[in-house]
Amino acid sequence: IKLIDTVGKPIDDAAWEAVHEAFADGLFVSGKSKEESLEMIHAVRKKLPDTPVILGGGADGENIEELLQ
């Protein structure tokens, strides 16, 4: 597991650094809410479409179908 300091950086830039400078094979992404997590994941996937991205939290029985899309 590699941790990247994202303070002051857009999440997509921090994700790019994790993959290209710290050689991460995949990323865990978790926001403070379901909506924030989805925004973060979409930004990361747009910049790194071939990198596995895993939701780090916020899923439950009511929203899992939406989150898996």
Side-chain angles (χ1 to χ4, degrees):
I1 295 178
K2 299 179 187 310
L3 300 175
I4 300 295
D5 181 8
T6 62
V7 175
K9 294 179 191 170
I11 188 65
D12 57 340
D13 290 341
W16 188 93
E17 287 181 16
V19 171
H20 293 282
E21 295 177 10
F23 306 107
D25 294 319
L27 303 166
F28 285 94
V29 175
S30 183
K32 294 178 184 173
S33 66
K34 176 188 78 164
E35 292 77 17
E36 183 181 28
S37 294
L38 287 174
E39 287 176 20
M40 293 168 71
I41 287 173
H42 289 302
V44 169
R45 285 188 184 223
K46 185 175 181 179
K47 194 156 196 169
L48 298 165
D50 297 324
T51 300
V53 179
I54 300 166
L55 178 64
D60 60 34
E62 294 180 17
N63 66 17
I64 190 66
E65 185 175 343
E66 175 187 1
L67 295 173
L68 288 173
Q69 296 177 13

